[in-house]
């Protein structure tokens, strides 16, 4: 084995080891988006996109606790995540299976109005703006953002394969 291959194997092994050691202690970040149409007015459409930051995965509950939120709702910035129980019994849990939310979901504020996103037979958003609004969601997506250490590990393995093919 020549020097280039030994170096690539050493770097890849070290990065993979560090990646597996780091993963369990870090928080997870998820991209999320959804859209829907009001039950009262078919011209009233909601579009939301952002990021959810969670505590590490909890195997006892098979979920992640959402601790922060950023993004926009109809172009207006999401101001804050509401503490559990503050609006429609929100729990702020992201389930590690489908559906991604339970019947209590997560709640947040935009422009002083409160919103709760949850799942009961389908994904829904309920809002309170001095009156209640309801949006059955026509699209709903939550995807994890890979950690940079995982990406570094994948790039290292890719580099090893490229070196091997070029030398072989």
């Amino acid at each position: 084995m020549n020097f280039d291959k030994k170096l690539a194997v050493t770097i890849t092994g070290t990065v993979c080891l560090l990646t597996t050691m780091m993963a369990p202690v870090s928080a997870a970040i998820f991209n999320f988006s959804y859209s829907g149409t009001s039950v009262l007015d078919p011209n009233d459409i909601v579009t939301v996109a952002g990021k959810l930051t969670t505590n590490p995965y909890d195997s006892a509950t098979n979920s992640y606790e959402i601790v922060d939120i950023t993004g926009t709702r109809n172009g207006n910035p999401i101001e804050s995540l509401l503490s559990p129980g503050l609006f429609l019994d929100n729990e702020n849990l992201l389930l590690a299976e489908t559906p991604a939310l339970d019947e209590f979901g997560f709640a947040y504020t935009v422009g002083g109005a409160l919103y709760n996103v949850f799942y009961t037979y389908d994904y829904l958003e309920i809002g309170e703006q001095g009156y209640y609004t309801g949006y059955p969601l026509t699209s709903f997506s939550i995807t994890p953002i890979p950690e940079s250490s995982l990406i570094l590990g994948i790039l290292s393995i890719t580099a090893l394969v490229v070196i091997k093919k070029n030398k072989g």
Side-chain angles (χ1 to χ4, degrees):
M1 188 182 279
N2 65 26
F3 179 74
D4 288 341
K5 287 184 181 179
K6 287 181 185 178
L7 180 61
V9 168
T10 302
I11 290 171
T12 301
T14 303
V15 168
C16 290
L17 177 65
L18 292 175
T19 299
T20 59
M21 290 171 51
M22 291 173 54
V25 296
S26 60
I29 300 175
F30 296 82
N31 284 324
F32 79 99
S33 64
Y34 64 85
S35 63
T37 303
S38 170
V39 294
L40 301 175
D41 179 0
N43 296 317
D44 184 7
I45 298 172
V46 63
T47 302
V48 178
K51 294 184 187 326
L52 300 171
T53 302
T54 68
N55 281 333
Y57 172 74
D58 180 359
S59 60
T61 62
N62 195 31
S63 66
Y64 301 84
E65 178 188 16
I66 301 168
V67 295
D68 194 24
I69 186 171
T70 59
T72 60
R73 182 182 186 280
N74 289 346
N76 299 310
I78 295 174
E79 296 163 346
S80 66
L81 181 71
L82 293 174
S83 297
L86 285 182
F87 185 56
L88 301 176
D89 295 326
N90 65 296
E91 292 179 330
N92 296 352
L93 292 180
L94 181 58
L95 306 177
E97 56 194 33
T98 301
L101 301 174
D102 62 13
E103 66 271 17
F104 305 106
F106 66 92
Y108 62 91
T109 62
V110 174
L114 310 177
Y115 299 95
N116 183 294
V117 183
F118 59 97
Y119 183 90
T120 54
Y121 305 108
D122 210 347
Y123 290 102
L124 302 162
E125 180 200 79
I126 300 292
E128 194 281 311
Q129 310 165 10
Y131 58 92
Y132 283 98
T133 61
Y135 295 88
L137 302 181
T138 54
S139 70
F140 183 87
S141 172
I142 292 184
T143 55
I145 298 173
E147 289 194 38
S148 58
S149 59
L150 179 61
I151 293 169
L152 185 59
I154 292 169
L155 289 174
S156 296
I157 291 170
T158 303
L160 176 64
V161 169
V162 168
I163 290 171
K164 184 176 180 181
K165 284 188 177 188
N166 286 340
K167 297 288 182 174

